[in-house]
Amino acid sequence: MNTSAASLLPDTVAVDSVAGLIDIISEDTVKKKGYLTERWRNPVQILVDTLNPISKDSLDRFVRTERRRVRDSVRGELNKLPKHVYFTFDDGPLIGSSAIDSISKAKNVKISAFLVGRHAKMSKRLKRDLQRYKENYLVECYNHSYTHAGNRFTSFYSNPVSAYEDFEKNELDLELKHKIVRLPGRNIWIYDDIRRIDLKSGASTADMLYTNGYKIYGWDVEWRIHGASGMPVQPVNEIYTRIRNYMDNKSSMEPNNVVLLMHDDMFQSKKGQQLLSSLIDTIQTTTDYKFEFIRDYPFRY
């Protein structure tokens, strides 16, 4: 390998590991929106010169070293920029929804509520809680299906057309303003240039939604719910640490953006509500993270 050429590598180089002498493809020097995100995802790009081959091992060593160098550089730049956290709550309206609404006002934090239409018709109280969400400027409402798949997810997604119609019914019944969806029982992301599928049985439904103008968002960190008690499973410090690690390591779906999944019924008790308030307080007092609506996801730099 031409060591003088390697020493002139720009900070932005990206990866395609194959054998051969390489020429570096320099990126445009204009820093466009999303420049650092793209560098993070594609740290090294090479062009193969098959007339002057080198060993695959040598090339792979170079690529690994260069990937680490560029990512370290990009991480340092991203650390100087704003960081965004998204508090998302699934399955409302449920008994915990009114407390979430009150906490968002008391703490002045934006929350994203992924709603299930059938739940809004279970009682007058839940119908009122839905209205409280809609009247709170710190809450935005999104689509989590009308039936929540009846909690029979594989069966639900086996018919993508009827599953799609279930989301469509939810949008109409709840008068949702944003074409943003989270699939019940699935951590699927499809938006802009991203497509990530966790379980194949939900893929066709997600693709149909995306084709019809919806964005589908999953989550990075889950604050799990205890099935019997409805209480949060992990302690506050564990969830806080996970959010910090995802943010610091840039290991979330998008660097500098972390999406937290919770469920409304986790916060029906005073204890659950205290835990949620404590998590918000900890983030607000120890970080400079900005609470955002999921419709603004992602912020790219």
Side-chain angles (χ1 to χ4, degrees):
M1 179 182 297
N2 185 331
T3 55
S4 62
S7 68
L8 296 175
L9 291 173
D11 280 343
T12 58
V13 280
V15 112
D16 199 323
S17 176
V18 277
L21 185 66
I22 64 173
D23 294 324
I24 301 303
I25 303 175
S26 298
E27 293 195 5
D28 191 341
T29 56
V30 176
K31 302 296 190 291
K32 60 184 182 296
K33 184 177 175 64
Y35 177 78
L36 287 174
T37 301
E38 181 61 27
R39 287 176 65 194
W40 179 259
R41 286 187 177 147
N42 302 292
V44 185
Q45 186 175 28
I46 57 176
L47 187 63
V48 178
D49 181 355
T50 54
L51 297 178
N52 299 281
I54 61 171
S55 72
K56 185 177 187 302
D57 287 344
S58 296
L59 180 61
D60 287 347
R61 280 196 302 273
F62 166 76
V63 166
R64 286 194 299 270
T65 300
E66 194 59 24
R67 177 185 286 272
R68 284 194 298 269
R69 186 185 71 80
V70 173
R71 279 205 155 185
D72 286 345
S73 172
V74 173
R75 182 185 285 107
E77 292 301 311
L78 287 169
N79 282 338
K80 301 172 187 176
L81 295 166
K83 299 168 186 66
H84 312 275
V85 64
Y86 306 78
F87 271 34
T88 68
F89 297 82
D90 282 10
D91 300 351
L94 289 171
I95 300 301
S97 302
S98 60
I100 295 167
D101 178 80
S102 297
I103 290 170
S104 75
K105 294 173 183 173
K107 304 296 182 182
N108 193 34
V109 296
K110 297 175 182 176
I111 71 164
S112 298
F114 284 88
L115 302 177
V116 175
R118 177 176 284 176
H119 293 171
K121 296 186 176 180
M122 291 195 305
S123 71
K124 290 182 179 178
R125 172 181 176 171
L126 294 181
K127 187 175 181 180
R128 287 195 300 269
D129 290 343
L130 171 63
Q131 193 59 34
R132 288 183 62 174
Y133 269 167
K134 289 187 172 185
E135 292 173 357
N136 184 351
Y137 73 96
L138 290 166
V139 175
E140 283 197 348
C141 299
Y142 307 107
N143 198 334
H144 197 43
S145 80
Y146 183 79
T147 63
H148 202 265
N151 292 326
R152 302 179 64 181
F153 304 117
T154 301
S155 174
F156 179 74
Y157 295 120
S158 68
N159 188 334
V161 173
S162 65
Y164 174 85
E165 290 172 349
D166 195 73
F167 286 99
E168 195 171 46
K169 175 177 174 55
N170 200 46
E171 180 180 336
L172 294 172
D173 276 27
L174 298 184
E175 298 179 337
L176 300 175
K177 299 176 182 178
H178 307 287
K179 297 183 81 68
I180 291 173
V181 163
R182 175 173 285 155
L183 270 64
R186 299 291 182 269
N187 189 3
I188 289 178
W189 306 73
I190 309 181
Y191 64 93
D192 301 340
D193 55 345
I194 298 297
R195 184 178 186 274
R196 181 180 290 182
I197 307 295
D198 65 338
L199 294 175
K200 197 172 181 181
S201 66
S204 295
T205 300
D207 286 335
M208 186 176 295
L209 286 162
Y210 183 71
T211 299
N212 284 277
Y214 294 87
K215 293 182 178 181
I216 298 93
Y217 293 119
W219 63 90
D220 299 305
V221 178
E222 179 181 3
W223 199 354
R224 295 193 305 277
I225 182 172
H226 192 283
S229 68
M231 288 288 293
V233 173
Q234 303 104 311
V236 167
N237 65 332
E238 180 180 333
I239 293 300
Y240 171 72
T241 298
R242 290 195 67 198
I243 292 171
R244 286 294 300 262
N245 287 342
Y246 269 74
M247 198 72 79
D248 293 345
N249 297 332
K250 315 305 175 194
S251 51
S252 51
M253 176 65 72
E254 298 271 351
N256 281 25
N257 296 261
V258 176
V259 178
L260 174 65
L261 165 66
M262 297 166 279
H263 292 83
D264 282 39
D265 49 357
M266 293 167 62
F267 308 107
Q268 56 188 288
S269 71
K270 291 292 184 184
K271 178 62 176 176
Q273 293 157 25
Q274 290 167 0
L275 293 175
L276 177 58
S277 294
S278 177
L279 177 61
I280 293 171
D281 289 344
T282 303
I283 291 173
Q284 288 183 325
T285 57
T286 61
T287 76
D288 58 355
Y289 300 170
K290 299 176 184 298
F291 287 82
E292 309 286 2
F293 292 130
I294 201 71
R295 70 173 159 89
D296 296 319
Y297 181 95
F299 289 82
R300 289 177 174 173
Y301 299 101

